[in-house]
Amino acid sequence: MLKCKFALCSLIIAIAFAWFAGLPPASAQDSELSRKTLARLPGVYVLVEELQPNITKYDRYLKKAGLSRVRLKENVEKRLRAGGIRTLSREEWLKTRGQPVLYLNVNSHENEKYWFAYDVTLELQQVVCMEAHPSVRTLADTWSLNSTGVVHIGNLDGIYRETERLVDRFIAAWRTANQR
């Protein structure tokens, strides 16, 4: 019990110190600071996670809604290109400084028969260097948005529309960061 209280106090002190020192939060979001991380990137590689088994077992409804990993990836890439953002092939991405990845994940949970809670997450991840150890490089989220909701199986296209809305917000953020 004493160790938990000490750990909690240490965490609170660390957060307070970072806040008073003016350090930005570690989690990414759509903010003025996170938008700056989008500047001068030559394009993005699009990575879309597989949909979860709790929703893919309703294949007929997914097809009707146009909801699949392949279709989501194609739509994200199409919207990015229409918005003036270059989409990188895997080979181009591996050679690109910072290796920027636009990552889309649709998390779902069937909470009642035919009703799904969902969380759509869109993140721009790129290689960053640690200030304390410049030789340490890691892939990190530098911009992100998410949307949570509930849909009936007959309205799964609502999830698809939500992915489009988040991608459009990314395009707007990209344009703001890359104004000339």
Side-chain angles (χ1 to χ4, degrees):
M1 179 76 166
L2 187 58
K3 286 183 181 182
C4 286
K5 285 184 180 180
F6 178 74
L8 181 59
C9 286
S10 297
L11 177 62
I12 291 170
I13 291 168
I15 291 170
F17 177 76
W19 184 68
F20 286 118
L23 299 174
S27 64
Q29 57 200 354
D30 183 21
S31 66
E32 185 178 340
L33 178 62
S34 68
R35 287 178 180 208
K36 288 179 181 181
T37 70
L38 305 178
R40 296 189 297 270
L41 294 177
V44 296
Y45 176 70
V46 176
L47 178 63
V48 178
E49 284 287 345
E50 289 288 346
L51 297 174
Q52 296 180 329
N54 65 26
I55 201 168
T56 58
K57 66 184 179 183
Y58 299 109
D59 187 50
R60 183 180 88 195
Y61 294 96
L62 287 175
K63 285 180 181 173
K64 180 182 172 196
L67 195 59
S68 71
R69 187 191 68 75
V70 171
R71 177 129 188 262
L72 287 170
K73 182 175 171 56
E74 289 170 351
N75 190 50
V76 169
E77 290 175 340
K78 178 180 163 189
R79 289 180 99 75
L80 291 174
R81 287 191 296 271
I85 300 171
R86 185 169 169 235
T87 57
L88 305 173
S89 69
R90 188 171 191 296
E91 293 74 27
E92 291 171 316
W93 171 73
L94 289 170
K95 297 175 187 174
T96 301
R97 185 180 176 107
Q99 296 180 323
V101 176
L102 190 61
Y103 172 77
L104 176 66
N105 184 29
V106 177
N107 189 8
S108 59
H109 174 74
E110 188 174 12
N111 50 349
E112 288 184 36
K113 186 76 170 170
Y114 303 127
W115 285 93
F116 291 89
Y118 68 86
D119 182 69
V120 178
T121 302
L122 186 67
E123 301 170 339
L124 188 282
Q125 302 173 350
Q126 56 185 309
V127 174
V128 298
C129 298
M130 304 305 298
E131 186 174 0
H133 302 283
S135 63
V136 175
R137 298 166 32 105
T138 188
L139 193 64
D141 303 344
T142 61
W143 180 96
S144 68
L145 279 178
N146 76 301
S147 178
T148 303
V150 177
V151 294
H152 184 267
I153 196 164
N155 296 324
L156 290 176
D157 60 326
I159 296 174
Y160 189 82
R161 285 192 309 274
E162 207 49 41
T163 65
E164 291 180 323
R165 190 180 69 79
L166 294 183
V167 171
D168 290 346
R169 296 240 346 242
F170 173 76
I171 293 167
W174 179 284
R175 286 180 176 162
T176 299
N178 289 287
Q179 291 176 351
R180 290 191 171 56

